Amino acid sequence: MSVSTVITAAGKNSRMRKDQISRGIDLTNKLILPFNGKTVIETTIDNALSSNADECIVVLGHYAVEIKEAIFDNYKDKVQFVENNPVDVGLSTSLFHGLSKLTSDFALCITADQPTVTTETFNRLIEVSQKSDDPFRTISILRRRKTGLLDTAEGLGMPFVAPRENLMAYLENENDNLNPILRKIFDDGYVFYGIKEKNEKELLNINHYDDYLTLLD
């Protein structure tokens, strides 16, 4: 069963911009901030490309020009960039857009502001999905609270591995954050399996400038 990757990188960057303004520092999209010799988004892409997934789609929206100027030449032969049109859409729409460009059975879904999630963890998500009793009714997801078989989808988000077409059916015609949709999938009887993080930094997205500084330490 084939697995491909969708990386969402289409957000407004509003919380980071607010923090940068309050600190009096240059306004820079969080995804192209320096991170371990690369940028945040490049680190996320590289970790995904090193995983056992096949093709990789990066979904852009807000700040697409700025992001592509920073990384396109380095990745034009490695990933497919697609852009939301219109750009002002929710995360669920961005993810649906990326999934619609894939032909694989399963999708490893990642947000670009997760540079500390390791290739090892991505591979573990894939492995648990593929080895489950019913992969087409299973979501393997980076845990937020419990590990193993989960009794709720509260608080969950990316990264996760899901059956592509089934996930698209839930995302179609939605324009929302992801968690309400994951809760609906859970309520419909899908098995959710929480994967333990390799280290605590894997659980932190870069939303605020302090998050970025924490992950740099």
Side-chain angles (χ1 to χ4, degrees):
M1 293 179 287
S2 57
V3 183
S4 298
T5 301
V6 174
I7 300 176
T8 58
K12 293 181 179 179
N13 196 51
S14 55
R15 286 172 287 188
M16 179 63 75
R17 284 177 62 86
K18 183 177 178 180
D19 289 351
Q20 290 170 335
I21 290 169
S22 69
R23 292 169 182 256
I25 58 181
D26 291 342
L27 291 177
T28 304
N29 186 282
K30 64 181 179 180
L31 300 182
I32 58 175
L33 288 170
F35 194 85
N36 294 342
K38 304 174 186 177
T39 62
V40 168
I41 188 172
E42 286 175 310
T43 305
T44 303
I45 292 173
D46 287 347
N47 289 342
L49 290 175
S50 297
S51 76
N52 294 330
D54 301 319
E55 62 186 323
C56 180
I57 300 272
V58 176
V59 184
L60 302 174
H62 295 278
Y63 304 99
V65 172
E66 185 177 348
I67 293 170
K68 288 182 77 171
E69 282 180 352
I71 72 167
F72 182 77
D73 287 345
N74 293 334
Y75 290 92
K76 60 185 178 182
D77 298 322
K78 300 178 182 179
V79 307
Q80 180 184 350
F81 291 92
V82 299
E83 296 185 30
N84 289 333
N85 183 18
V87 298
D88 195 15
V89 295
L91 178 57
S92 62
T93 302
S94 293
L95 185 55
F96 181 87
H97 188 192
L99 292 168
S100 70
K101 303 298 182 181
L102 299 177
T103 58
S104 57
D105 299 313
F106 294 85
L108 169 63
C109 303
I110 306 169
T111 64
D113 61 356
Q114 296 178 312
T116 54
V117 181
T118 61
T119 298
E120 180 179 337
T121 294
F122 290 147
N123 284 339
R124 179 66 177 147
L125 290 168
I126 295 169
E127 178 186 21
V128 168
S129 165
Q130 304 302 280
K131 290 186 176 180
S132 66
D133 291 338
D134 186 356
F136 288 96
R137 297 283 296 178
T138 299
I139 308 288
S140 60
I141 194 161
L142 182 62
R143 70 104 186 189
R144 295 305 188 272
R145 301 182 184 114
K146 296 181 180 179
T147 60
L149 191 64
L150 302 181
D151 57 9
T152 179
E154 294 290 335
L156 295 177
M158 292 190 271
F160 62 82
V161 173
R164 183 183 67 87
E165 290 187 358
N166 295 19
L167 178 58
M168 287 180 66
Y170 282 93
L171 295 172
E172 191 171 12
N173 299 320
E174 295 287 347
N175 189 33
D176 199 353
N177 290 324
L178 198 55
N179 184 255
I181 297 168
L182 291 174
R183 294 201 307 267
K184 179 170 175 36
I185 295 172
F186 182 88
D187 290 343
D188 283 349
Y190 280 72
V191 172
F192 277 62
Y193 197 94
I195 303 302
K196 183 173 174 55
E197 70 281 5
K198 185 176 180 181
N199 59 72
E200 63 182 16
K201 288 186 176 180
E202 286 195 314
L203 300 177
L204 183 63
N205 292 27
I206 299 175
N207 291 318
H208 295 281
Y209 199 78
D210 281 340
D211 299 331
Y212 171 65
L213 296 178
T214 296
L215 293 185
L216 287 180
D217 287 342

